[in-house]
Amino acid sequence: MERKPRLFGTAGIRGLTNVEITPGLALSIARAYGDWLGNAGLAAVGRDTRYGAAMLSMAAASGLVSAGMDVVDCGVIPTGGLAAYVRHAKAKGAVLITGSHTPPDRIGVIAMLADGAYVPDSAAVDIEDRHERGEKGFQRVPPDRIGSVRVAHDALEVYRSFLHSYADLEPIRRWHPKVLVDPANGTASLVLPGLLRELGCQVVELNCSPNPVPARPSEPRARTLTEACAKVREHGCDLGIATDVDADRVLFIDAGGQCASEDVIGAVFAEEVLSRAQDKLCVSPINSSGLLDWVCAKVGARIEWCPPGQPSTVEKVKQVGAVYSYEESGKYYFCKEALWCDGPLAALKLLSILGREKIGLAQLVARYPSFTQVKVTVECPDAIKAQVMERVRERWERELVDGRKEDVTIDGLKRVYRDNAWLLLRKSGTEPLVRVYSDAMDPGRARSLVESGKALLASVMREVQGRS
């Protein structure tokens, strides 16, 4: 069985700033990455706005330089901006220091490839091994091959050019919408308000001053955006745009101050991209809404499934040549333009759709059926968790099969039904839990599926515990 990385998770290495994620760790991981990149060539570093990000970025730059890499420092920049710069500069890779949507006392170290994608698990394992072996894991670079560091004064301009190139901006210019922008005092503050004004938008700013501690929780969810929703109504905005601190996630607010479901926006983009594509293929993490199945059936597209998380998603996209993907956390991949999630790019694409069709977001959302997702956890001791899931797998073949359309066995057991509902059972990798999720057009159907999954788990656990 292929080993999974121990330090790298679904978005780099994360932990408490200056406690778990220290300058020493950032330097060692970056040095290991520079070693993995071949100890020569160009690499970039970038960071978000939180405390410790500059310190860790300097440490990462030192690690890369000590591995023989020449480093270009892009400073404070959105995730998509650093990825776009890496591709523009033909760098071999990059290290991004960001806590993304997590609380301000947490931060992360992310390694990017030359195409802007996060490193896959296979590379993360190799980088971790080099880091863990310490001096024995690194190639010693002689003094005359130590790299250099320079500042990229044009990094944000390169990003703006990227956004101009990959979004249809004319419908926005003709429309002149009023838009609220709430970037959580993060990196999008440096790009999105000014770019929208250049396109003729009237911009209402909220939390647009870069700050180490955002004025609201970084994660853009309906529960964290009550002020933004109220401001959209108060100022008569056509749309609200809210990102997390590093601007890879984005949530949209309609003119009535209602947050649009991330799954519905994912479906909007899926229909936009897949209906126009020659190869109608998308990639979806197994926990995406059945609404994506509904859209794909409508436009004649095919779905390839993958485990949740950015490295797994992008690795699958590359493997099958998909043109679109999304994650239910508000991350959207326009794979022919970018192999990363990019909140500002998604915002421009949505504004373009609304301007072209001359409708509001609420009207656009109303075109799609509503799905309800139910999520519960069932306690299951770690000692029997694997045995329980194996026994569930055996019974899965003959139980809960009415209306079965497809079974997906990637990272758990998922059953998709002909009515676009699904049931998913996944064991937690870090807690004594099994997760039971469902998704359906009818809320009662979603609840019923979860109860059926819980009942199956309870029955199996009694069997297993009775034998032990």
Side-chain angles (χ1 to χ4, degrees), residues 127-316:
I127 294 164
E128 285 182 6
D129 285 344
R130 294 168 196 249
H131 155 71
E132 288 165 3
R133 293 200 306 271
E135 290 299 325
K136 295 179 180 178
F138 304 129
Q139 178 175 321
R140 187 170 296 280
V141 172
D144 62 341
R145 286 183 49 215
I146 292 172
S148 61
V149 181
R150 65 177 174 85
V151 175
H153 296 290
D154 61 342
L156 290 176
E157 190 53 46
V158 166
Y159 183 42
R160 291 187 190 96
S161 296
F162 163 81
L163 294 172
H164 274 269
S165 298
Y166 291 108
D168 180 10
L169 304 178
E170 285 310 309
I172 307 173
R173 290 191 176 102
R174 292 193 298 266
W175 180 19
H176 305 300
K178 180 180 280 191
V179 183
L180 177 130
V181 177
D182 178 358
N185 305 101
T187 57
S189 305
L190 305 176
V191 177
L192 197 52
L195 179 57
L196 291 176
R197 286 194 176 97
E198 289 170 13
L199 296 174
C201 300
Q202 304 171 66
V203 177
V204 176
E205 295 189 5
L206 178 64
N207 304 322
C208 279
S209 300
N211 197 292
V213 179
R216 62 155 170 89
S218 175
E219 186 175 20
R221 295 286 197 178
R223 64 181 179 274
T224 66
L225 297 177
T226 52
E227 183 182 8
C229 292
K231 293 286 185 184
V232 166
R233 292 191 298 269
E234 176 187 338
H235 291 276
C237 296
D238 298 291
L239 186 72
I241 301 168
T243 71
D244 60 350
V245 165
D246 68 342
D248 61 344
R249 300 178 182 221
V250 62
L251 189 141
F252 299 103
I253 305 166
D254 69 25
Q258 297 297 310
C259 293
S261 156
E262 296 90 338
D263 288 314
V264 174
I265 298 299
V268 168
F269 288 141
E271 184 165 2
E272 174 76 7
V273 174
L274 293 168
S275 64
R276 297 165 179 262
Q278 184 174 356
D279 298 322
K280 298 181 185 299
L281 176 61
C282 71
V283 161
S284 172
I286 54 172
N287 59 341
S288 295
S289 172
L291 181 55
L292 184 61
D293 299 75
W294 183 89
V295 168
C296 286
K298 178 182 177 182
V299 302
R302 184 166 62 88
I303 302 175
E304 288 277 350
W305 303 101
C306 68
Q310 194 155 334
S312 298
T313 300
V314 176
E315 194 168 12
K316 190 68 172 182

Side-chain angles (χ1 to χ4, degrees), residues 47-62:
R47 65 185 189 270
D48 71 14
T49 52
R50 67 190 61 207
Y51 288 120
M55 167 188 76
L56 294 167
S57 181
M58 288 187 284
S62 294

Side-chain angles (χ1 to χ4, degrees), residues 51 64 85 115 136 197 220 317 336 384 388:
Y51 288 120
L64 289 166
Y85 191 87
D115 58 10
K136 295 179 180 178
R197 286 194 176 97
V317 163
K336 292 303 181 185
I384 66 169
V388 165

Side-chain angles (χ1 to χ4, degrees), residues 333-354:
Y333 301 82
F334 305 97
C335 308
K336 292 303 181 185
E337 293 96 339
L339 288 170
W340 57 86
C341 351
D342 193 318
L345 178 62
L348 292 176
K349 285 185 175 288
L350 183 61
L351 280 166
S352 180
I353 293 169
L354 296 174

